[in-house]
PDB file of all heavy atoms in Angstrom:
ATOM      1  N   ARG F1517     -14.454  12.622  54.391  1.00 81.00           N
ATOM      2  CA  ARG F1517     -14.619  11.276  54.932  1.00 81.00           C
ATOM      3  C   ARG F1517     -16.066  10.957  55.274  1.00 81.00           C
ATOM      4  O   ARG F1517     -16.384  10.440  56.342  1.00 81.00           O
ATOM      5  CB  ARG F1517     -13.740  11.062  56.178  1.00 81.00           C
ATOM      6  CG  ARG F1517     -12.274  11.269  55.863  1.00 81.00           C
ATOM      7  CD  ARG F1517     -11.404  10.876  57.032  1.00 81.00           C
ATOM      8  NE  ARG F1517     -10.001  11.151  56.719  1.00 81.00           N
ATOM      9  CZ  ARG F1517      -8.994  10.846  57.505  1.00 81.00           C
ATOM     10  NH1 ARG F1517      -9.213  10.249  58.639  1.00 81.00           N
ATOM     11  NH2 ARG F1517      -7.769  11.109  57.159  1.00 81.00           N
ATOM     12  N   PRO F1585      -3.753  15.416  44.228  1.00 87.00           N
ATOM     13  CA  PRO F1585      -3.209  14.362  45.076  1.00 87.00           C
ATOM     14  C   PRO F1585      -3.463  14.624  46.561  1.00 87.00           C
ATOM     15  O   PRO F1585      -3.307  15.742  47.028  1.00 87.00           O
ATOM     16  CB  PRO F1585      -1.695  14.416  44.791  1.00 87.00           C
ATOM     17  CG  PRO F1585      -1.568  15.109  43.494  1.00 87.00           C
ATOM     18  CD  PRO F1585      -2.742  16.036  43.383  1.00 87.00           C
ATOM     19  N   GLU F1587      -1.793  13.731  49.047  1.00 88.00           N
ATOM     20  CA  GLU F1587      -0.586  14.085  49.800  1.00 88.00           C
ATOM     21  C   GLU F1587      -0.396  15.599  49.881  1.00 88.00           C
ATOM     22  O   GLU F1587       0.152  16.097  50.861  1.00 88.00           O
ATOM     23  CB  GLU F1587       0.662  13.469  49.164  1.00 88.00           C
ATOM     24  CG  GLU F1587       0.809  11.983  49.382  1.00 88.00           C
ATOM     25  CD  GLU F1587       0.003  11.180  48.381  1.00 88.00           C
ATOM     26  OE1 GLU F1587      -0.691  11.796  47.533  1.00 88.00           O
ATOM     27  OE2 GLU F1587       0.054   9.943  48.442  1.00 88.00           O
ATOM     28  N   LEU F1588      -0.829  16.305  48.830  1.00 91.00           N
ATOM     29  CA  LEU F1588      -0.665  17.761  48.853  1.00 91.00           C
ATOM     30  C   LEU F1588      -1.465  18.348  50.000  1.00 91.00           C
ATOM     31  O   LEU F1588      -1.013  19.229  50.710  1.00 91.00           O
ATOM     32  CB  LEU F1588      -1.144  18.370  47.533  1.00 91.00           C
ATOM     33  CG  LEU F1588      -0.236  18.159  46.336  1.00 91.00           C
ATOM     34  CD1 LEU F1588      -0.805  18.868  45.135  1.00 91.00           C
ATOM     35  CD2 LEU F1588       1.149  18.682  46.644  1.00 91.00           C
ATOM     36  N   GLU F1590      -2.336  16.726  52.660  1.00 92.00           N
ATOM     37  CA  GLU F1590      -1.711  16.306  53.924  1.00 92.00           C
ATOM     38  C   GLU F1590      -0.459  17.130  54.205  1.00 92.00           C
ATOM     39  O   GLU F1590      -0.179  17.477  55.356  1.00 92.00           O
ATOM     40  CB  GLU F1590      -1.376  14.813  53.866  1.00 92.00           C
ATOM     41  CG  GLU F1590      -2.626  13.960  53.863  1.00 92.00           C
ATOM     42  CD  GLU F1590      -2.351  12.480  53.777  1.00 92.00           C
ATOM     43  OE1 GLU F1590      -1.230  12.085  53.379  1.00 92.00           O
ATOM     44  OE2 GLU F1590      -3.262  11.709  54.090  1.00 92.00           O
ATOM     45  N   ALA F1591       0.291  17.447  53.133  1.00 93.00           N
ATOM     46  CA  ALA F1591       1.471  18.294  53.308  1.00 93.00           C
ATOM     47  C   ALA F1591       1.037  19.646  53.860  1.00 93.00           C
ATOM     48  O   ALA F1591       1.679  20.205  54.755  1.00 93.00           O
ATOM     49  CB  ALA F1591       2.210  18.464  51.986  1.00 93.00           C
ATOM     50  N   ALA F1592      -0.079  20.153  53.338  1.00 94.00           N
ATOM     51  CA  ALA F1592      -0.576  21.447  53.811  1.00 94.00           C
ATOM     52  C   ALA F1592      -1.026  21.349  55.266  1.00 94.00           C
ATOM     53  O   ALA F1592      -0.790  22.263  56.057  1.00 94.00           O
ATOM     54  CB  ALA F1592      -1.727  21.929  52.933  1.00 94.00           C
ATOM     55  N   ILE F1593      -1.645  20.221  55.618  1.00 93.00           N
ATOM     56  CA  ILE F1593      -2.049  20.027  57.018  1.00 93.00           C
ATOM     57  C   ILE F1593      -0.811  20.056  57.914  1.00 93.00           C
ATOM     58  O   ILE F1593      -0.784  20.715  58.941  1.00 93.00           O
ATOM     59  CB  ILE F1593      -2.807  18.690  57.192  1.00 93.00           C
ATOM     60  CG1 ILE F1593      -4.153  18.764  56.487  1.00 93.00           C
ATOM     61  CG2 ILE F1593      -2.992  18.376  58.668  1.00 93.00           C
ATOM     62  CD1 ILE F1593      -4.905  17.442  56.479  1.00 93.00           C
ATOM     63  N   MET F1594       0.244  19.349  57.476  1.00 93.00           N
ATOM     64  CA  MET F1594       1.477  19.331  58.268  1.00 93.00           C
ATOM     65  C   MET F1594       2.103  20.725  58.329  1.00 93.00           C
ATOM     66  O   MET F1594       2.762  21.068  59.298  1.00 93.00           O
ATOM     67  CB  MET F1594       2.495  18.354  57.674  1.00 93.00           C
ATOM     68  CG  MET F1594       2.094  16.895  57.714  1.00 93.00           C
ATOM     69  SD  MET F1594       1.501  16.313  59.308  1.00 93.00           S
ATOM     70  CE  MET F1594       2.959  16.479  60.321  1.00 93.00           C
ATOM     71  N   ASP F1595       1.901  21.512  57.279  1.00 93.00           N
ATOM     72  CA  ASP F1595       2.433  22.875  57.271  1.00 93.00           C
ATOM     73  C   ASP F1595       1.588  23.810  58.138  1.00 93.00           C
ATOM     74  O   ASP F1595       1.884  24.993  58.239  1.00 93.00           O
ATOM     75  CB  ASP F1595       2.488  23.423  55.836  1.00 93.00           C
ATOM     76  CG  ASP F1595       3.791  23.033  55.139  1.00 93.00           C
ATOM     77  OD1 ASP F1595       4.715  22.597  55.840  1.00 93.00           O
ATOM     78  OD2 ASP F1595       3.878  23.170  53.909  1.00 93.00           O
ATOM     79  N   GLY F1596       0.512  23.274  58.695  1.00 91.00           N
ATOM     80  CA  GLY F1596      -0.289  24.074  59.610  1.00 91.00           C
ATOM     81  C   GLY F1596      -1.506  24.727  58.978  1.00 91.00           C
ATOM     82  O   GLY F1596      -2.040  25.692  59.515  1.00 91.00           O
ATOM     83  N   ALA F1597      -1.942  24.222  57.829  1.00 91.00           N
ATOM     84  CA  ALA F1597      -3.072  24.844  57.153  1.00 91.00           C
ATOM     85  C   ALA F1597      -4.399  24.294  57.675  1.00 91.00           C
ATOM     86  O   ALA F1597      -4.522  23.102  57.919  1.00 91.00           O
ATOM     87  CB  ALA F1597      -2.965  24.603  55.649  1.00 91.00           C
ATOM     88  N   ASP F1598      -5.385  25.204  57.834  1.00 91.00           N
ATOM     89  CA  ASP F1598      -6.746  24.767  58.145  1.00 91.00           C
ATOM     90  C   ASP F1598      -7.473  24.512  56.831  1.00 91.00           C
ATOM     91  O   ASP F1598      -6.982  24.868  55.767  1.00 91.00           O
ATOM     92  CB  ASP F1598      -7.483  25.849  58.936  1.00 91.00           C
ATOM     93  CG  ASP F1598      -6.774  26.141  60.241  1.00 91.00           C
ATOM     94  OD1 ASP F1598      -6.270  25.183  60.845  1.00 91.00           O
ATOM     95  OD2 ASP F1598      -6.714  27.318  60.636  1.00 91.00           O
ATOM     96  N   HIS F1601      -7.631  27.369  54.378  1.00 92.00           N
ATOM     97  CA  HIS F1601      -6.306  27.582  53.772  1.00 92.00           C
ATOM     98  C   HIS F1601      -6.030  26.547  52.692  1.00 92.00           C
ATOM     99  O   HIS F1601      -5.512  26.861  51.623  1.00 92.00           O
ATOM    100  CB  HIS F1601      -5.198  27.465  54.826  1.00 92.00           C
ATOM    101  CG  HIS F1601      -5.152  28.618  55.769  1.00 92.00           C
ATOM    102  ND1 HIS F1601      -5.058  28.450  57.125  1.00 92.00           N
ATOM    103  CD2 HIS F1601      -5.192  29.946  55.538  1.00 92.00           C
ATOM    104  CE1 HIS F1601      -5.041  29.634  57.706  1.00 92.00           C
ATOM    105  NE2 HIS F1601      -5.120  30.553  56.765  1.00 92.00           N
ATOM    106  N   HIS F1605      -5.279  27.974  49.167  1.00 92.00           N
ATOM    107  CA  HIS F1605      -3.873  28.014  48.741  1.00 92.00           C
ATOM    108  C   HIS F1605      -3.433  26.782  47.955  1.00 92.00           C
ATOM    109  O   HIS F1605      -2.460  26.835  47.225  1.00 92.00           O
ATOM    110  CB  HIS F1605      -2.948  28.166  49.953  1.00 92.00           C
ATOM    111  CG  HIS F1605      -3.053  29.493  50.626  1.00 92.00           C
ATOM    112  ND1 HIS F1605      -2.643  30.652  50.027  1.00 92.00           N
ATOM    113  CD2 HIS F1605      -3.533  29.846  51.841  1.00 92.00           C
ATOM    114  CE1 HIS F1605      -2.858  31.666  50.850  1.00 92.00           C
ATOM    115  NE2 HIS F1605      -3.405  31.203  51.952  1.00 92.00           N
ATOM    116  N   VAL F1606      -4.102  25.666  48.179  1.00 91.00           N
ATOM    117  CA  VAL F1606      -3.624  24.436  47.551  1.00 91.00           C
ATOM    118  C   VAL F1606      -4.604  23.905  46.501  1.00 91.00           C
ATOM    119  O   VAL F1606      -4.236  23.708  45.350  1.00 91.00           O
ATOM    120  CB  VAL F1606      -3.354  23.353  48.620  1.00 91.00           C
ATOM    121  CG1 VAL F1606      -2.865  22.074  47.952  1.00 91.00           C
ATOM    122  CG2 VAL F1606      -2.316  23.852  49.611  1.00 91.00           C
ATOM    123  N   PRO F1609      -5.780  26.775  43.374  1.00 89.00           N
ATOM    124  CA  PRO F1609      -4.821  27.040  42.287  1.00 89.00           C
ATOM    125  C   PRO F1609      -4.655  25.847  41.354  1.00 89.00           C
ATOM    126  O   PRO F1609      -4.355  26.019  40.176  1.00 89.00           O
ATOM    127  CB  PRO F1609      -3.507  27.322  43.030  1.00 89.00           C
ATOM    128  CG  PRO F1609      -3.901  27.692  44.406  1.00 89.00           C
ATOM    129  CD  PRO F1609      -5.176  26.967  44.702  1.00 89.00           C
ATOM    130  N   LEU F1610      -4.853  24.645  41.878  1.00 88.00           N
ATOM    131  CA  LEU F1610      -4.617  23.458  41.063  1.00 88.00           C
ATOM    132  C   LEU F1610      -5.830  23.072  40.222  1.00 88.00           C
ATOM    133  O   LEU F1610      -5.712  22.308  39.276  1.00 88.00           O
ATOM    134  CB  LEU F1610      -4.224  22.282  41.961  1.00 88.00           C
ATOM    135  CG  LEU F1610      -2.889  22.495  42.675  1.00 88.00           C
ATOM    136  CD1 LEU F1610      -2.617  21.364  43.638  1.00 88.00           C
ATOM    137  CD2 LEU F1610      -1.766  22.619  41.666  1.00 88.00           C
TER     138      LEU F1610
ATOM    139  N   ARG U 853       2.103   8.141  60.470  1.00 95.00           N
ATOM    140  CA  ARG U 853       1.006   9.089  60.246  1.00 95.00           C
ATOM    141  C   ARG U 853       0.233   9.359  61.537  1.00 95.00           C
ATOM    142  O   ARG U 853      -0.379  10.420  61.687  1.00 95.00           O
ATOM    143  CB  ARG U 853       0.079   8.568  59.153  1.00 95.00           C
ATOM    144  CG  ARG U 853       0.759   8.577  57.762  1.00 95.00           C
ATOM    145  CD  ARG U 853      -0.006   7.751  56.769  1.00 95.00           C
ATOM    146  NE  ARG U 853      -1.361   8.226  56.606  1.00 95.00           N
ATOM    147  CZ  ARG U 853      -1.704   9.223  55.797  1.00 95.00           C
ATOM    148  NH1 ARG U 853      -0.801   9.805  55.069  1.00 95.00           N
ATOM    149  NH2 ARG U 853      -2.944   9.603  55.726  1.00 95.00           N
ATOM    150  N   ALA U 856       2.246  11.922  63.195  1.00 94.00           N
ATOM    151  CA  ALA U 856       2.044  13.204  62.500  1.00 94.00           C
ATOM    152  C   ALA U 856       0.685  13.805  62.836  1.00 94.00           C
ATOM    153  O   ALA U 856       0.516  15.014  62.800  1.00 94.00           O
ATOM    154  CB  ALA U 856       2.161  12.998  60.989  1.00 94.00           C
ATOM    155  N   LEU U 858      -2.035  12.650  61.102  1.00 93.00           N
ATOM    156  CA  LEU U 858      -2.855  12.455  59.900  1.00 93.00           C
ATOM    157  C   LEU U 858      -3.806  11.274  60.068  1.00 93.00           C
ATOM    158  O   LEU U 858      -4.759  11.144  59.320  1.00 93.00           O
ATOM    159  CB  LEU U 858      -1.966  12.238  58.672  1.00 93.00           C
ATOM    160  CG  LEU U 858      -1.118  13.442  58.265  1.00 93.00           C
ATOM    161  CD1 LEU U 858      -0.122  13.064  57.186  1.00 93.00           C
ATOM    162  CD2 LEU U 858      -2.001  14.580  57.801  1.00 93.00           C
ATOM    163  N   PRO U 878      -2.592  18.146  63.975  1.00 91.00           N
ATOM    164  CA  PRO U 878      -1.220  18.152  63.456  1.00 91.00           C
ATOM    165  C   PRO U 878      -0.512  19.494  63.598  1.00 91.00           C
ATOM    166  O   PRO U 878       0.653  19.534  63.973  1.00 91.00           O
ATOM    167  CB  PRO U 878      -1.403  17.809  61.973  1.00 91.00           C
ATOM    168  CG  PRO U 878      -2.689  17.093  61.897  1.00 91.00           C
ATOM    169  CD  PRO U 878      -3.539  17.602  63.009  1.00 91.00           C
ATOM    170  N   LYS U 879      -1.227  20.580  63.326  1.00 88.00           N
ATOM    171  CA  LYS U 879      -0.540  21.878  63.298  1.00 88.00           C
ATOM    172  C   LYS U 879      -0.005  22.275  64.675  1.00 88.00           C
ATOM    173  O   LYS U 879       0.918  23.057  64.770  1.00 88.00           O
ATOM    174  CB  LYS U 879      -1.450  22.967  62.721  1.00 88.00           C
ATOM    175  CG  LYS U 879      -2.666  23.284  63.570  1.00 88.00           C
ATOM    176  CD  LYS U 879      -3.524  24.355  62.914  1.00 88.00           C
ATOM    177  CE  LYS U 879      -2.862  25.717  62.995  1.00 88.00           C
ATOM    178  NZ  LYS U 879      -3.816  26.780  62.585  1.00 88.00           N
ATOM    179  N   VAL U 883       5.508  19.042  64.351  1.00 94.00           N
ATOM    180  CA  VAL U 883       6.304  18.029  63.665  1.00 94.00           C
ATOM    181  C   VAL U 883       6.248  18.337  62.163  1.00 94.00           C
ATOM    182  O   VAL U 883       5.292  18.921  61.688  1.00 94.00           O
ATOM    183  CB  VAL U 883       5.772  16.601  63.914  1.00 94.00           C
ATOM    184  CG1 VAL U 883       5.845  16.262  65.372  1.00 94.00           C
ATOM    185  CG2 VAL U 883       4.351  16.456  63.408  1.00 94.00           C
ATOM    186  N   PHE U 887       7.174  13.536  52.547  1.00 92.00           N
ATOM    187  CA  PHE U 887       6.354  12.475  51.959  1.00 92.00           C
ATOM    188  C   PHE U 887       7.118  11.702  50.901  1.00 92.00           C
ATOM    189  O   PHE U 887       8.042  12.214  50.285  1.00 92.00           O
ATOM    190  CB  PHE U 887       5.094  13.071  51.328  1.00 92.00           C
ATOM    191  CG  PHE U 887       4.137  13.642  52.334  1.00 92.00           C
ATOM    192  CD1 PHE U 887       4.318  14.907  52.864  1.00 92.00           C
ATOM    193  CD2 PHE U 887       3.060  12.891  52.760  1.00 92.00           C
ATOM    194  CE1 PHE U 887       3.444  15.426  53.787  1.00 92.00           C
ATOM    195  CE2 PHE U 887       2.173  13.406  53.679  1.00 92.00           C
ATOM    196  CZ  PHE U 887       2.361  14.674  54.201  1.00 92.00           C
ATOM    197  N   ASN U 889       6.209  10.861  47.872  1.00 88.00           N
ATOM    198  CA  ASN U 889       6.207  11.484  46.536  1.00 88.00           C
ATOM    199  C   ASN U 889       6.449  12.988  46.629  1.00 88.00           C
ATOM    200  O   ASN U 889       6.050  13.734  45.767  1.00 88.00           O
ATOM    201  CB  ASN U 889       4.916  11.183  45.803  1.00 88.00           C
ATOM    202  CG  ASN U 889       3.720  11.643  46.592  1.00 88.00           C
ATOM    203  OD1 ASN U 889       3.880  12.292  47.627  1.00 88.00           O
ATOM    204  ND2 ASN U 889       2.536  11.359  46.123  1.00 88.00           N
ATOM    205  N   ALA U 891       5.190  15.563  47.545  1.00 91.00           N
ATOM    206  CA  ALA U 891       4.015  16.411  47.784  1.00 91.00           C
ATOM    207  C   ALA U 891       4.365  17.890  47.799  1.00 91.00           C
ATOM    208  O   ALA U 891       3.917  18.632  48.660  1.00 91.00           O
ATOM    209  CB  ALA U 891       3.304  16.005  49.083  1.00 91.00           C
ATOM    210  N   LEU U 892       5.177  18.315  46.833  1.00 92.00           N
ATOM    211  CA  LEU U 892       5.456  19.752  46.707  1.00 92.00           C
ATOM    212  C   LEU U 892       4.245  20.403  46.048  1.00 92.00           C
ATOM    213  O   LEU U 892       3.598  19.800  45.200  1.00 92.00           O
ATOM    214  CB  LEU U 892       6.694  19.979  45.842  1.00 92.00           C
ATOM    215  CG  LEU U 892       7.976  19.338  46.348  1.00 92.00           C
ATOM    216  CD1 LEU U 892       9.112  19.610  45.376  1.00 92.00           C
ATOM    217  CD2 LEU U 892       8.326  19.843  47.729  1.00 92.00           C
ATOM    218  N   TYR U 893       3.963  21.641  46.441  1.00 92.00           N
ATOM    219  CA  TYR U 893       2.849  22.350  45.816  1.00 92.00           C
ATOM    220  C   TYR U 893       3.274  22.736  44.401  1.00 92.00           C
ATOM    221  O   TYR U 893       4.181  23.555  44.237  1.00 92.00           O
ATOM    222  CB  TYR U 893       2.472  23.587  46.630  1.00 92.00           C
ATOM    223  CG  TYR U 893       2.294  23.290  48.100  1.00 92.00           C
ATOM    224  CD1 TYR U 893       3.098  23.895  49.054  1.00 92.00           C
ATOM    225  CD2 TYR U 893       1.343  22.369  48.533  1.00 92.00           C
ATOM    226  CE1 TYR U 893       2.954  23.610  50.405  1.00 92.00           C
ATOM    227  CE2 TYR U 893       1.190  22.087  49.871  1.00 92.00           C
ATOM    228  CZ  TYR U 893       1.998  22.705  50.804  1.00 92.00           C
ATOM    229  OH  TYR U 893       1.851  22.422  52.134  1.00 92.00           O
ATOM    230  N   PRO U 894       2.620  22.187  43.374  1.00 90.00           N
ATOM    231  CA  PRO U 894       3.127  22.355  42.007  1.00 90.00           C
ATOM    232  C   PRO U 894       3.063  23.797  41.505  1.00 90.00           C
ATOM    233  O   PRO U 894       3.791  24.155  40.591  1.00 90.00           O
ATOM    234  CB  PRO U 894       2.201  21.475  41.150  1.00 90.00           C
ATOM    235  CG  PRO U 894       1.248  20.831  42.074  1.00 90.00           C
ATOM    236  CD  PRO U 894       1.414  21.375  43.449  1.00 90.00           C
ATOM    237  N   HIS U 895       2.180  24.598  42.094  1.00 90.00           N
ATOM    238  CA  HIS U 895       1.995  25.958  41.582  1.00 90.00           C
ATOM    239  C   HIS U 895       2.840  26.978  42.331  1.00 90.00           C
ATOM    240  O   HIS U 895       2.750  28.163  42.078  1.00 90.00           O
ATOM    241  CB  HIS U 895       0.522  26.339  41.695  1.00 90.00           C
ATOM    242  CG  HIS U 895      -0.014  26.194  43.102  1.00 90.00           C
ATOM    243  ND1 HIS U 895      -0.181  24.970  43.710  1.00 90.00           N
ATOM    244  CD2 HIS U 895      -0.372  27.113  44.013  1.00 90.00           C
ATOM    245  CE1 HIS U 895      -0.650  25.162  44.932  1.00 90.00           C
ATOM    246  NE2 HIS U 895      -0.770  26.433  45.140  1.00 90.00           N
ATOM    247  N   PHE U 904       5.861  28.209  52.968  1.00 95.00           N
ATOM    248  CA  PHE U 904       4.397  28.168  53.128  1.00 95.00           C
ATOM    249  C   PHE U 904       3.979  28.031  54.593  1.00 95.00           C
ATOM    250  O   PHE U 904       3.088  28.731  55.062  1.00 95.00           O
ATOM    251  CB  PHE U 904       3.834  27.010  52.293  1.00 95.00           C
ATOM    252  CG  PHE U 904       2.336  26.972  52.238  1.00 95.00           C
ATOM    253  CD1 PHE U 904       1.613  28.067  51.791  1.00 95.00           C
ATOM    254  CD2 PHE U 904       1.645  25.833  52.628  1.00 95.00           C
ATOM    255  CE1 PHE U 904       0.229  28.033  51.737  1.00 95.00           C
ATOM    256  CE2 PHE U 904       0.262  25.792  52.581  1.00 95.00           C
ATOM    257  CZ  PHE U 904      -0.453  26.893  52.136  1.00 95.00           C
ATOM    258  N   SER U 905       4.664  27.147  55.320  1.00 94.00           N
ATOM    259  CA  SER U 905       4.268  26.938  56.715  1.00 94.00           C
ATOM    260  C   SER U 905       4.505  28.195  57.538  1.00 94.00           C
ATOM    261  O   SER U 905       3.714  28.532  58.413  1.00 94.00           O
ATOM    262  CB  SER U 905       5.045  25.763  57.308  1.00 94.00           C
ATOM    263  OG  SER U 905       6.425  26.041  57.268  1.00 94.00           O
ATOM    264  N   LEU U 908       1.761  30.657  56.763  1.00 93.00           N
ATOM    265  CA  LEU U 908       0.525  30.303  57.461  1.00 93.00           C
ATOM    266  C   LEU U 908       0.617  30.664  58.932  1.00 93.00           C
ATOM    267  O   LEU U 908      -0.380  30.991  59.567  1.00 93.00           O
ATOM    268  CB  LEU U 908       0.236  28.806  57.317  1.00 93.00           C
ATOM    269  CG  LEU U 908      -0.224  28.327  55.948  1.00 93.00           C
ATOM    270  CD1 LEU U 908      -0.315  26.819  55.942  1.00 93.00           C
ATOM    271  CD2 LEU U 908      -1.569  28.937  55.590  1.00 93.00           C
ATOM    272  N   ARG U 952      11.401  22.135  53.144  1.00 93.00           N
ATOM    273  CA  ARG U 952      10.100  22.541  53.665  1.00 93.00           C
ATOM    274  C   ARG U 952       9.965  22.102  55.123  1.00 93.00           C
ATOM    275  O   ARG U 952       9.330  22.766  55.921  1.00 93.00           O
ATOM    276  CB  ARG U 952       9.002  21.901  52.812  1.00 93.00           C
ATOM    277  CG  ARG U 952       7.668  22.489  53.023  1.00 93.00           C
ATOM    278  CD  ARG U 952       6.730  22.102  51.923  1.00 93.00           C
ATOM    279  NE  ARG U 952       6.528  20.665  51.871  1.00 93.00           N
ATOM    280  CZ  ARG U 952       5.687  20.081  51.020  1.00 93.00           C
ATOM    281  NH1 ARG U 952       5.019  20.801  50.157  1.00 93.00           N
ATOM    282  NH2 ARG U 952       5.536  18.791  51.023  1.00 93.00           N
ATOM    283  N   ARG U 956      10.979  25.066  59.296  1.00 90.00           N
ATOM    284  CA  ARG U 956      10.096  25.260  60.452  1.00 90.00           C
ATOM    285  C   ARG U 956      10.799  25.030  61.770  1.00 90.00           C
ATOM    286  O   ARG U 956      10.248  25.344  62.815  1.00 90.00           O
ATOM    287  CB  ARG U 956       8.910  24.296  60.354  1.00 90.00           C
ATOM    288  CG  ARG U 956       7.991  24.641  59.226  1.00 90.00           C
ATOM    289  CD  ARG U 956       6.950  23.579  59.081  1.00 90.00           C
ATOM    290  NE  ARG U 956       6.355  23.244  60.366  1.00 90.00           N
ATOM    291  CZ  ARG U 956       5.632  22.171  60.588  1.00 90.00           C
ATOM    292  NH1 ARG U 956       5.417  21.332  59.607  1.00 90.00           N
ATOM    293  NH2 ARG U 956       5.127  21.942  61.764  1.00 90.00           N
TER     294      ARG U 956
END
Side-chain angles (χ1 to χ4, degrees):
Chain F
R1517 301 188 183 184
E1587 286 83 359
L1588 286 183
E1590 291 179 342
I1593 292 174
M1594 294 311 295
D1595 274 346
D1598 300 322
H1601 288 133
H1605 292 293
V1606 180
L1610 295 175
Chain U
R853 291 165 59 84
L858 294 171
K879 66 181 288 191
V883 298
F887 292 81
N889 57 7
L892 301 178
Y893 310 118
H895 55 291
F904 187 56
S905 61
L908 288 174
R952 194 164 62 177
R956 291 173 48 195

